[in-house]
Amino acid sequence: MNATIINIGDELLLGQVVNSNAAVMAQMIAQAGFGVERTIVVGDNADDIRRAIDESIQLTPIVLITGGLGPTKDDITKHLLADYFGSELYENSEALATVTRIITGLGRPMTELNRRQAWVPKCCRVLNNDVGTAPCMWFDHPKGVIISMPGVPFEMQWLVQHRVLPTLAQRFSVGCIVKKNILIEGIGESFLSDLIEPWELALPKELGVAYLPVAGMVKLRLTARANTVSETSKMQSLIDNAVASLQPLAGKYIVGYDAETLEELVHRELSAQSLTLAAAESCTGGTIVQRLTALPGASAFLKGGVVAYCNEAKHHLLNVPQNVLDEHGAVSEPTVIAMAQGVRRQMNADYALATTGIAGPGGAEEGKPVGTVWVAIDSEKGTEAQLLHLRGERQPIVDRTVNHLFAMLLRHVRSLQ
Amino acid sequence: MNATIINIGDELLLGQVVNSNAAVMAQMIAQAGFGVERTIVVGDNADDIRRAIDESIQLTPIVLITGGLGPTKDDITKHLLADYFGSELYENSEALATVTRIITGLGRPMTELNRRQAWVPKCCRVLNNDVGTAPCMWFDHPKGVIISMPGVPFEMQWLVQHRVLPTLAQRFSVGCIVKKNILIEGIGESFLSDLIEPWELALPKELGVAYLPVAGMVKLRLTARANTVSETSKMQSLIDNAVASLQPLAGKYIVGYDAETLEELVHRELSAQSLTLAAAESCTGGTIVQRLTALPGASAFLKGGVVAYCNEAKHHLLNVPQNVLDEHGAVSEPTVIAMAQGVRRQMNADYALATTGIAGPGGAEEGKPVGTVWVAIDSEKGTEAQLLHLRGERQPIVDRTVNHLFAMLLRHVRSLQ
């Protein structure tokens, strides 16, 4: 049972805003057992939207649309859908009640624009939006269903979870996807593919495998589709066997399972072992701490971090001795070690991570090209520093450094067990 | 002269990876004067890819494809394109030379998989990829051109800039887009739309306007298309007039122009005035510093930051007095003021920003629900603190806090002039 996702908006089409809605929607509906066949982005243009809707409902029985529902003049989806179904707009009393509740709850007067949000095509069924002023609209079509919802990310997420998926589940019977993510670090995609070729060729045909390289890490994803409970447990055991047989080939590169990112694994391991962490960052500019705090619950293990972008901060806040900075420079092994030790002491943490390097595009020095990065881990067992030579642009260099350090940390923490 | 963008990959379709390539490509080709009509994501499935290519070349004369060119078994684009054009693969000597140069430059032996990267359909023209092992392929089609390139973001960007756009410019004659971004903070999209309705209705028909709400900020984008140099300057002056006439209506909410994000404006203002900045973050978890350091050149003004996720760090590293923490709590006006003052002194900066609040989902206290956030700015002129009540999930709360604080900082810094 496949779906097409259509995201409407000039800002998405022209790339001013990255289309994260498509990713979030796809994950949510795939998790619920629906397939995703295609996602499309079109601008705020009636002909383009109409063509996309028309093609999509021919292609898949479920068409999910976001965007173009705001009250401003460039938002035209609602009018177009009314026209498409030969219907007309009317003020829906349930939708009006919601809009009124939200606007007055904010202590604001209802404007004409707010009121317009409650107008919907007569032929649609309103799926009430509890968290925003634009209603979600469900249209029955001879070929399937077309569902239109606002593009505001948290409203879309709330609607998909609480309204769209439950209503789809009543209408269509679906299976589910059994999946396993294997996070691999320390080997590139090509080399990994060579290394595990025999394993891949021997996989049962029910299993799909995908390589997802992300900033120096490869996520290997095994998936299988199941339509019944007994099929689900069969697919689960096929996947378990495949995971077990991968271990002898690639075990030393495997950092973890069942996570999308290394920071999820760091959360899980440190929380489970009641260990605390601090970070001292130079070239990664706060990315270590930002990625960890982007997930809820970081305060359980994260003491905090220092971003020491200047030598002054390295010296004052992290107690990196001035003569180390003078003799060896900011991008050096003694500096990164002193940073890790300094922040661990200051924050009174079990583990500390540190980075100092040249992320570019400027800042290269004689013998220290862009991509020269020192990383270190400090704990009561001692300090380990590593020198990385990374290629690419600023952001990939930062992301790879952080991924490498998270993988190093996970290996350190596990060696305790 | 319009283009369709097709991004191939199960990881994009299923949302494991957010499709930032589409945004980057769209911006680059729109900047070069081409229109973007649609972007499509399909999985690693031959039928779906073929259908997308076939439909797209009927729709627009330019079709740009990324992905499915890696050496692993799930990458099928190249074979499919050979088949689509009734051609076959051969080893292209120029492509092989590039692959060999890159692999041996990394000090690695050439593998069979590496070598396979140099195989391309006979009917295509190779646009050499200097920065990666997958070549870019240009196919002439009776309806236009189809261009296939790797999905690795920095390779794609390099290829679009250095190979695809120059080759397209030889083939098609294009105009350009004249555009102006107006960054607005402190008013929601609906209220802004009401406020500036008369201005919007009076805009000349050559100008397009779009509202791009992002985390508490609205980016208002004015665009116009020009085909000649004299048209370009005419459109430029229409836009200048529109910007000038917006000022009396909405001037107090306008934070800046010609930027995509507030951090770009912060970079520009602080660098121009040779001012330095430091940050002390609690609930924003490093996002202030991370967003500033994501842009090159941050070291010109950013001294650094402290992420004080625990009270210990607030006390030790930022010198927040223990009795302030005990009496008022971590989320309080006295604490945020002490954090801002503490980090400014520690880092010896001209300005300091501080945040402390409850980003959720946990952590709410009596009288301090999720979304309660204190922010402060400290400088030699004194300290300003503000209490924000934000709605939504963790990430939007963090993003709105940071946007609000950047807007506050810009207003402070400009009041100096």
Side-chain angles (χ1 to χ4, degrees):
Chain A
M1 201 54 61
N2 279 357
T4 301
I5 296 171
I6 303 176
N7 304 111
I8 298 172
D10 282 344
E11 73 284 9
L12 300 173
L13 184 66
L14 298 177
Q16 273 99 358
V17 174
V18 173
N19 188 13
S20 57
N21 271 357
V24 173
M25 292 174 83
Q27 285 197 348
M28 293 177 82
I29 67 174
Q31 208 85 51
F34 297 93
V36 187
E37 183 144 334
R38 183 189 272 194
T39 68
I40 302 180
V41 174
V42 289
D44 298 304
N45 173 300
D47 289 342
D48 295 343
I49 299 172
R50 177 190 294 269
R51 190 182 299 115
I53 293 173
D54 217 33
E55 280 174 17
S56 300
I57 194 67
Q58 304 300 328
L59 194 65
T60 61
I62 301 169
V63 177
L64 300 169
I65 306 174
T66 67
L69 295 182
T72 58
K73 272 156 219 62
D74 55 338
D75 292 317
I76 55 176
T77 311
K78 202 155 64 176
H79 302 275
L80 188 137
L81 281 165
D83 188 52
Y84 182 78
F85 284 98
S87 184
E88 54 188 37
L89 298 179
Y90 78 112
E91 190 172 79
N92 179 285
S93 58
E94 197 187 358
L96 184 63
T98 305
V99 173
T100 308
R101 179 178 57 72
I102 288 177
I103 297 295
T104 55
L106 292 171
R108 292 179 186 164
M110 282 284 282
T111 67
E112 188 47 41
L113 272 179
N114 295 141
R115 214 178 161 95
R116 254 186 256 166
Q117 296 277 64
W119 286 69
V120 298
K122 279 186 180 159
C123 66
C124 84
R125 173 175 163 199
V126 170
L127 302 184
N128 213 30
N129 175 1
D130 287 6
V131 297
T133 54
C136 176
M137 298 171 287
W138 171 291
F139 297 87
D140 283 298
H141 182 283
K143 294 270 190 179
V145 297
I146 297 172
I147 301 155
S148 162
M149 63 196 110
V152 180
F154 82 87
E155 294 185 36
M156 178 280 289
Q157 283 181 50
W158 188 92
L159 283 164
V160 170
Q161 186 183 341
H162 297 277
R163 298 285 180 259
V164 176
L165 288 176
T167 318
L168 283 174
Q170 285 165 14
R171 168 78 180 255
F172 301 98
S173 93
V174 291
C176 72
I177 300 284
V178 185
K179 110 181 164 176
K180 185 94 180 174
N181 278 344
I182 306 166
L183 279 68
I184 289 170
E185 199 271 346
I187 184 170
E189 186 190 7
S190 295
F191 290 92
L192 178 67
S193 173
D194 272 351
L195 181 69
I196 66 176
E197 190 172 27
W199 171 83
E200 205 177 330
L201 292 171
L203 282 178
K205 66 174 188 334
E206 291 91 340
L207 301 191
V209 60
Y211 288 75
L212 314 171
V214 194
M217 177 187 93
V218 178
K219 214 164 33 176
L220 208 63
R221 186 166 44 84
L222 285 167
T223 49
R225 176 174 288 276
N227 292 310
T228 62
V229 173
S230 75
E231 258 185 33
T232 304
S233 77
K234 183 190 158 197
M235 293 305 155
Q236 193 59 62
S237 78
L238 287 181
I239 285 182
D240 289 346
N241 290 343
V243 167
S245 60
L246 186 63
Q247 190 66 33
L249 275 172
K252 71 171 175 166
Y253 301 112
I254 296 175
V255 200
Y257 300 96
D258 299 323
E260 298 298 332
T261 60
L262 291 172
E263 50 267 35
E264 281 180 51
L265 296 175
V266 170
H267 266 245
R268 206 187 288 166
E269 290 279 344
L270 295 183
S271 302
Q273 296 196 42
S274 301
L275 294 169
T276 57
L277 182 70
E281 305 185 57
S282 181
C283 64
T284 51
T287 305
I288 291 176
V289 175
Q290 190 272 331
R291 279 175 54 180
L292 291 170
T293 61
L295 302 176
S299 54
F301 66 88
L302 185 68
K303 293 275 193 156
V306 171
V307 181
Y309 231 55
C310 59
N311 279 347
E312 231 163 328
K314 291 186 181 78
H315 179 55
H316 281 133
L317 284 168
L318 298 171
N319 300 326
V320 178
Q322 193 61 49
N323 67 318
V324 165
L325 290 167
D326 294 341
E327 277 168 42
H328 302 275
V331 180
S332 67
E333 184 171 13
T335 297
V336 82
I337 288 176
M339 287 171 70
Q341 293 174 344
V343 83
R344 191 166 84 84
R345 200 172 312 115
Q346 291 278 21
M347 301 264 186
N348 188 26
D350 297 314
Y351 278 83
L353 308 179
T355 63
T356 181
I358 299 154
E365 296 166 26
E366 179 76 33
K368 293 176 184 172
V370 168
T372 305
V373 179
W374 277 98
V375 297
I377 293 191
D378 183 58
S379 72
E380 62 173 12
K381 293 184 302 170
T383 317
E384 181 192 355
Q386 282 187 16
L387 174 61
L388 311 180
H389 298 287
L390 302 171
R391 290 191 317 145
E393 312 248 329
R394 186 176 180 86
Q395 199 56 51
I397 287 175
V398 168
D399 293 340
R400 281 170 199 195
T401 301
V402 175
N403 276 342
H404 183 76
L405 203 43
F406 283 164
M408 270 174 79
L409 173 65
L410 288 165
R411 291 183 175 117
H412 267 258
V413 169
R414 284 180 192 147
S415 71
L416 294 180
Q417 294 174 311
Chain B
M1 199 54 60
N2 277 359
T4 302
I5 296 171
I6 303 176
N7 303 111
I8 298 172
D10 281 345
E11 72 283 9
L12 299 174
L13 184 65
L14 298 177
Q16 273 100 355
V17 174
V18 173
N19 187 14
S20 57
N21 271 357
V24 173
M25 292 175 82
Q27 285 198 347
M28 292 177 83
I29 67 173
Q31 208 86 50
F34 296 94
V36 187
E37 183 144 337
R38 183 188 274 196
T39 68
I40 302 180
V41 174
V42 289
D44 298 303
N45 174 300
D47 289 343
D48 294 345
I49 299 173
R50 179 189 293 270
R51 191 183 298 116
I53 293 173
D54 218 33
E55 281 175 17
S56 300
I57 194 68
Q58 305 299 327
L59 195 65
T60 60
I62 302 169
V63 176
L64 300 169
I65 306 173
T66 66
L69 294 184
T72 58
K73 273 157 219 60
D74 56 336
D75 291 318
I76 56 176
T77 310
K78 202 154 65 175
H79 301 274
L80 189 137
L81 281 166
D83 190 50
Y84 183 77
F85 284 99
S87 183
E88 54 188 37
L89 298 179
Y90 78 112
E91 190 174 79
N92 179 284
S93 58
E94 198 188 357
L96 183 64
T98 305
V99 173
T100 309
R101 179 177 57 72
I102 289 177
I103 298 295
T104 56
L106 292 171
R108 293 182 185 160
M110 281 283 283
T111 67
E112 189 46 41
L113 273 178
N114 295 141
R115 216 181 159 94
R116 252 186 256 165
Q117 296 276 64
W119 286 68
V120 297
K122 278 186 180 159
C123 67
C124 84
R125 172 175 162 197
V126 170
L127 302 183
N128 212 31
N129 176 0
D130 287 7
V131 297
T133 53
C136 176
M137 297 171 287
W138 170 291
F139 297 87
D140 282 298
H141 183 283
K143 293 271 190 178
V145 296
I146 296 172
I147 302 155
S148 162
M149 64 196 111
V152 180
F154 81 88
E155 294 185 34
M156 177 280 290
Q157 283 182 48
W158 189 92
L159 282 164
V160 171
Q161 187 183 341
H162 296 278
R163 297 285 181 258
V164 176
L165 288 176
T167 318
L168 283 174
Q170 285 165 15
R171 168 79 181 255
F172 301 98
S173 91
V174 291
C176 73
I177 301 284
V178 185
K179 117 182 158 175
K180 185 95 181 174
N181 278 345
I182 306 166
L183 278 69
I184 289 170
E185 200 270 347
I187 183 170
E189 186 189 7
S190 295
F191 289 92
L192 179 67
S193 174
D194 272 351
L195 181 70
I196 66 176
E197 190 172 24
W199 171 83
E200 206 176 331
L201 292 171
L203 281 180
K205 68 176 186 333
E206 291 90 339
L207 301 192
V209 61
Y211 289 74
L212 314 172
V214 192
M217 176 186 95
V218 179
K219 214 163 37 174
L220 208 63
R221 186 167 45 83
L222 285 167
T223 49
R225 177 174 286 277
N227 291 310
T228 61
V229 173
S230 75
E231 258 184 34
T232 305
S233 77
K234 182 189 160 200
M235 295 305 156
Q236 194 57 64
S237 77
L238 287 181
I239 285 181
D240 289 346
N241 290 343
V243 167
S245 60
L246 185 63
Q247 190 65 34
L249 275 172
K252 71 172 174 164
Y253 301 111
I254 296 176
V255 199
Y257 299 97
D258 298 323
E260 299 298 333
T261 60
L262 291 173
E263 50 268 37
E264 281 180 50
L265 296 175
V266 170
H267 265 244
R268 205 187 290 167
E269 290 280 345
L270 294 184
S271 301
Q273 296 195 43
S274 301
L275 294 168
T276 58
L277 182 70
E281 305 185 57
S282 181
C283 64
T284 51
T287 304
I288 291 177
V289 174
Q290 191 272 332
R291 280 175 53 179
L292 292 171
T293 62
L295 303 175
S299 55
F301 66 87
L302 185 69
K303 294 273 194 159
V306 171
V307 181
Y309 230 55
C310 60
N311 279 347
E312 231 163 326
K314 290 185 182 77
H315 180 55
H316 281 132
L317 284 169
L318 298 172
N319 299 326
V320 178
Q322 193 60 49
N323 69 317
V324 166
L325 290 168
D326 293 342
E327 278 170 41
H328 302 276
V331 180
S332 67
E333 183 170 16
T335 297
V336 81
I337 288 175
M339 287 172 70
Q341 292 173 344
V343 81
R344 191 167 85 84
R345 200 171 312 116
Q346 291 279 20
M347 299 264 187
N348 188 26
D350 297 315
Y351 277 83
L353 308 179
T355 64
T356 181
I358 299 154
E365 294 166 27
E366 179 75 34
K368 293 177 185 174
V370 167
T372 305
V373 179
W374 277 99
V375 296
I377 294 190
D378 183 58
S379 70
E380 61 174 13
K381 292 185 303 172
T383 316
E384 181 192 353
Q386 282 187 15
L387 174 61
L388 311 180
H389 298 287
L390 302 172
R391 289 191 317 144
E393 313 250 327
R394 184 175 179 85
Q395 199 57 52
I397 287 175
V398 169
D399 293 339
R400 282 171 198 194
T401 302
V402 175
N403 276 342
H404 183 76
L405 202 44
F406 283 165
M408 271 175 79
L409 173 65
L410 288 165
R411 291 182 174 118
H412 267 259
V413 169
R414 285 183 191 143
S415 71
L416 294 179
Q417 293 173 313

